[in-house]
Amino acid sequence: MSASTSVALSRAVHSPSSSGSVAPPPSRRGALPAARVTMATASAEVDKAAALLAWLADATNDPGIESRVALGETRHGRGLVAVRNLVPGEVIFNVPFRLVLSEDHDEADASDLPWSALMAARLLEERSRGGECGRWIESLPDLVSTPPLEYTELELAACEDPKTIAESRATLEGHLAAYEALKPRLDAVGCDERDLRWATGVLHSRCFTHGPRGTHLAVPGVDMCNHDFAGANAVVAVVTSPEDVQGVRATAEIADVDDE
């Protein structure tokens, strides 16, 4: 009997407004801090959204995903939304670990580069290969703002805060140093500094950490639950099971979604 590992998204057991903390049941192994699933009317973002969920349903062998959630516009922007009431503890979906982009600690231990730069290079290499995660990568936003890398010298000087100026310059210098170190790998897949900047920004905005070493994970589908941690109404867990894998659960009671 072989063990399988996946990342599970489930409805939280308690509402953010109820007494008691929002947390997965004690039996959840590798439980992570609650992730946010913003509930709103599922207004279709027809371009990439439908294709992404259809791909996720196929990749996870779960055709019921689209009966539970959709990608739609929320007050925070595009995010994962419920299309029906989700029962507390209900599994929303499971993502097999083969689809997860995970920080490689062996690679990190052998390098002085930031975790995000190393993972960004792997994300770009995966995009070039067009492998199983290609549909997810295509769904990522085209523009991810990384302000410290975008300020001009005039803009920095205008802020008149030496600490902010120093931090911004250090961030830019670190990014450019990472680009130079990774340039052979990036050249091999037709990417440049702007591609690295994009991939790094994507990972900073979508990764969460897991385990004693704080391993960074980017998980298709779960990465759409990054909008409002203060009002979390779902939990995410990394689960290893010899028989089956459990998924993300919803936590709070969810109001009916209007059919509009």
Side-chain angles (χ1 to χ4, degrees):
M1 187 180 299
S2 60
S4 59
T5 300
S6 74
V7 178
L9 182 66
S10 308
R11 177 86 192 289
V13 175
H14 298 292
S15 164
S17 60
S18 66
S19 59
S21 60
V22 176
S27 60
R28 285 252 177 244
R29 297 170 55 185
L32 302 177
R36 171 66 171 173
V37 180
T38 303
M39 300 304 160
T41 301
S43 59
E45 190 174 304
V46 294
D47 53 351
K48 301 173 183 176
L52 175 63
L53 282 184
W55 167 80
L56 191 61
D58 182 64
T60 60
N61 194 29
D62 180 6
I65 287 179
E66 292 177 278
S67 71
R68 297 185 287 272
V69 290
L71 293 182
E73 287 301 314
T74 77
R75 60 193 177 91
H76 300 286
R78 189 179 70 163
L80 198 65
V81 300
V83 296
R84 65 167 174 80
N85 286 346
L86 298 173
V87 179
E90 179 178 355
V91 173
I92 300 171
F93 55 75
N94 300 309
V95 181
F97 215 76
R98 74 176 190 278
L99 302 178
V100 175
L101 182 64
S102 175
E103 181 178 3
D104 184 335
H105 287 296
D106 290 337
E107 180 183 42
D109 290 344
S111 173
D112 293 328
L113 297 180
W115 67 269
S116 53
L118 294 170
M119 284 186 69
R122 289 169 51 214
L123 177 63
L124 294 170
E125 288 166 344
E126 182 65 23
R127 183 179 73 175
S128 175
R129 279 193 294 268
E132 189 176 12
C133 287
R135 183 71 68 185
W136 167 59
I137 297 173
E138 288 175 7
S139 78
L140 296 172
D142 295 327
L143 177 63
V144 180
S145 181
T146 49
L149 305 182
E150 298 165 5
Y151 296 138
T152 67
E153 283 298 317
L154 285 176
E155 289 169 336
L156 281 177
C159 84
E160 298 181 349
D161 179 16
K163 182 178 180 180
T164 299
I165 293 173
E167 289 178 350
S168 181
R169 285 176 175 162
T171 299
L172 177 59
E173 290 169 3
H175 169 72
L176 294 177
Y179 169 65
E180 289 301 324
L182 294 168
K183 193 173 185 303
R185 289 175 62 180
L186 298 175
D187 286 346
V189 292
C191 292
D192 59 17
E193 181 271 329
R194 288 187 174 275
D195 292 302
L196 182 65
R197 181 184 302 189
W198 167 81
T200 301
V202 163
L203 294 168
H204 272 291
S205 70
R206 291 167 179 265
C207 281
F208 61 90
T209 59
H210 163 68
R213 293 194 63 178
T215 302
H216 291 86
L217 304 176
V219 185
V222 177
D223 67 328
M224 297 302 299
C225 306
N226 63 345
H227 297 91
D228 184 1
F229 290 97
N233 56 10
V235 293
V236 60
V238 176
V239 183
T240 301
S241 168
E243 296 176 359
D244 55 54
V245 179
Q246 300 179 25
V248 181
R249 299 179 165 185
T251 55
E253 288 301 328
I254 298 174
D256 292 334
V257 177
D258 293 334
D259 246 347
E260 296 179 358

